Amino acid sequence: MSPDLLIRNVTLPDGRTGIDIAVERGRIAAVGPKLEAEAARVIDGAGFLATPPFVDSHFHMDSTLSLGLPRMNQSGTLLEGIALWGELKPHLTVEAIKARALDCCRQAVARGTLAIRSHVDICDDRLLAVEALLEVRAEMKPYLDLQLVAFPQDGYLRYARSAENLARALDMGVDVVGGIPHFERTMADGAASVKALCEIAAARGLLVDMHCDESDDPLSRHVESLAYETTRLGLQGRVTGSHLTSMHSMDNYYVSKLIGLMREAELQVVANPLINITLQGRHDTYPKRRGMTRVKELMAAGLNVAFGHDCVMDPWYPLGSHDMLEVAHMGLHVGQMTGVAEMRAAFQAVTSHGAKALQLDGYGLEPGCKADLVILQARDPIEALRLKPARLFVIRGGTVIAETPRVEAALHLGRAGETIDFTRPSPLAGGAAGP
Ligand code: FE2
């Protein structure tokens, strides 16, 4: 075997240690201990974690890095964010959207995120954002998979030209059908929008991803409509419900029925922990609801749950640097997912679960998969969540596309040459000392 790239001595997310990975012609050729091979390039993994790349299942690439334009969101609410975005829209240009999106994509790549599903607002009759993001998708293709969702931000039925614009966006090459039923004028209009949009996806053979019930309204019923239309149209597994925050506030008995409908529809679920914890519960005094959907319970019911970043420095969220480990860290805390299996599931929510929701081809670290992977300065997924460590190597198709030097602090506490990098032997590997 003469691979193009040989990675020596990494730990895999499933716990195997001392593993080598050989890459040939952009694909993983072999995975195992002490592979006998010589390669043009060899990377010493030094026992650190190699993972398939991070996947951001829900993002807004058209508004990213626009923070402060034309003003800040003073209330911090979802509705002021939508109003603010409406103020900015008439002033957008293809060039400005592209420049900001490319900047964000570069940050994502440096963080080891190589697939992003971005919603793109089609409630601008010029479709400038669609044009810009299609160009960004093409330019970034060698480095990052950008999937685009035609998103009627101002409502599919509520905004007069949504239907026409959505069809135009799909004709231009946008990948996925979006929606926002809770923003329609009535519950009935919301249900009608779900029906119409799922029918469009079925007719065109496309996936669906709707912002669905992003509210604290315990009586909102659009998840139910989405599951129903998915099953009715035979779209099982092809439809994503994003946010689903109303489920946080729903009656437990009703949720026990709803989860059954979601399972029947094989609905993909995307929670956005950073945004849900900051935007939901805004009408509460105390106790104040967290708003994130029932991640643990949905996972336990066998549904595929992924996490999205949603926003970085835009009208809805002033923070962020596109780090999916920050997202998973927040999701784990908000969802109280501190059991060992739960922490591993939080890591999967920003890796393999996202890949499943986006139906990514060739994702993983098995032979035959695309040679896309990240080596982190951490020993296992749980340490990665704890430290949000340096992405030492980001590899796409067998080529290193980003590198960060190993991070360690030099201490000056009286012992010469003392350094600290915060990693610890994993208590799960049996390497920890007794109490
Ligand atoms: Fe969103």
Side-chain angles (χ1 to χ4, degrees), residues 58-60 119 151 211 214 242-243 272 275 310-311:
H58 186 113
F59 196 64
H60 294 265
H119 297 252
F151 173 47
H211 286 65
E214 188 182 3
S242 278
H243 290 294
N272 296 292
I275 305 310
D310 204 1
C311 303

Side-chain angles (χ1 to χ4, degrees), residues 48-89:
F48 286 126
L49 175 67
T51 175
F54 296 112
V55 177
D56 181 358
S57 305
H58 186 113
F59 196 64
H60 294 265
M61 196 63 85
D62 49 2
S63 56
T64 191
L65 303 179
S66 68
L67 184 68
L69 299 173
R71 61 183 175 83
M72 298 293 282
N73 181 340
Q74 293 302 334
S75 67
T77 60
L78 173 63
L79 292 180
E80 187 177 341
I82 293 174
L84 213 164
W85 176 238
E87 291 172 33
L88 177 58
K89 264 197 260 189

Side-chain angles (χ1 to χ4, degrees), residues 230-272:
T230 300
T231 303
R232 180 178 75 83
L233 293 163
L235 295 173
Q236 286 90 340
R238 300 173 55 78
V239 174
T240 298
S242 278
H243 290 294
L244 315 187
T245 52
S246 61
M247 289 186 72
H248 186 94
S249 298
M250 282 174 182
D251 170 72
N252 288 335
Y253 176 79
Y254 174 69
V255 170
S256 71
K257 176 195 173 191
L258 180 61
I259 287 180
L261 298 179
M262 293 167 73
R263 282 184 57 167
E264 186 181 33
E266 298 167 39
L267 212 61
Q268 311 284 348
V269 174
V270 176
N272 296 292

Side-chain angles (χ1 to χ4, degrees), residues 314-325:
D314 71 7
W316 296 275
Y317 187 61
L319 303 170
S321 62
H322 211 286
D323 184 352
M324 292 310 296
L325 281 172

Side-chain angles (χ1 to χ4, degrees), residues 103-172:
D103 186 356
C104 185
C105 286
R106 283 176 155 72
Q107 294 187 39
V109 166
R111 298 286 199 196
T113 300
L114 300 187
I116 300 176
R117 176 179 279 178
S118 172
H119 297 252
V120 49
D121 186 2
I122 54 94
C123 294
D124 172 353
D125 301 338
R126 303 166 300 168
L127 294 184
L128 295 185
V130 173
E131 192 183 325
L133 293 192
L134 285 169
E135 289 178 22
V136 172
R137 185 179 72 180
E139 275 184 40
M140 290 306 296
K141 183 69 189 159
Y143 316 110
L144 177 150
D145 295 306
L146 183 60
Q147 233 179 50
L148 299 176
V149 185
F151 173 47
Q153 171 77 76
D154 300 333
Y156 183 67
L157 299 173
R158 193 167 174 173
Y159 181 73
R161 294 185 70 178
S162 274
E164 180 190 331
N165 291 353
L166 185 117
R168 279 169 59 211
L170 297 177
D171 289 343
M172 287 164 74

